[in-house]
Amino acid sequence: MKLELIDYLIIAIYFLLVIGIGFLLKRKIKTGNDFLMSNRSIPLWITSLAFISANLSKN
């Protein structure tokens, strides 16, 4: 399988988008607690359950 120029462009755009979103969120989220509590808009138990289930799934 050989990647073409369009494939590399799509990968580059994806990474730039993800990094850009990270930098935008970095301004709003100052601590790990801010990230975990989702600015208190979502209950802690739901957020924690999401993290646990994401870490348990290996597929």
Side-chain angles (χ1 to χ4, degrees), residues 2 8 13-14 18-19 21-24 26 28 32 50 53 59:
K2 183 180 177 190
Y8 289 115
I13 289 170
Y14 171 77
V18 169
I19 291 171
I21 290 170
F23 278 117
L24 288 175
K26 184 180 175 184
K28 292 183 179 185
S53 63
N59 296 335

Side-chain angles (χ1 to χ4, degrees), residues 1-16:
M1 172 185 274
K2 183 180 177 190
L3 296 178
E4 299 293 329
L5 178 63
I6 188 70
D7 299 319
Y8 289 115
L9 286 174
I10 291 171
I11 292 170
I13 289 170
Y14 171 77
F15 278 111
L16 288 174

Side-chain angles (χ1 to χ4, degrees), residues 9-58:
L9 286 174
I10 291 171
I11 292 170
I13 289 170
Y14 171 77
F15 278 111
L16 288 174
L17 212 85
V18 169
I19 291 171
I21 290 170
F23 278 117
L24 288 175
L25 290 178
K26 184 180 175 184
R27 294 181 186 164
K28 292 183 179 185
I29 299 174
K30 300 296 180 194
T31 66
N33 194 31
D34 291 341
F35 179 74
L36 182 62
M37 292 295 288
S38 302
N39 220 6
R40 301 190 196 282
S41 61
I42 301 173
L44 177 63
W45 68 272
I46 292 176
T47 308
S48 301
L49 188 61
F51 283 122
I52 291 170
S53 63
N55 285 328
L56 289 178
S57 66
K58 298 283 182 178

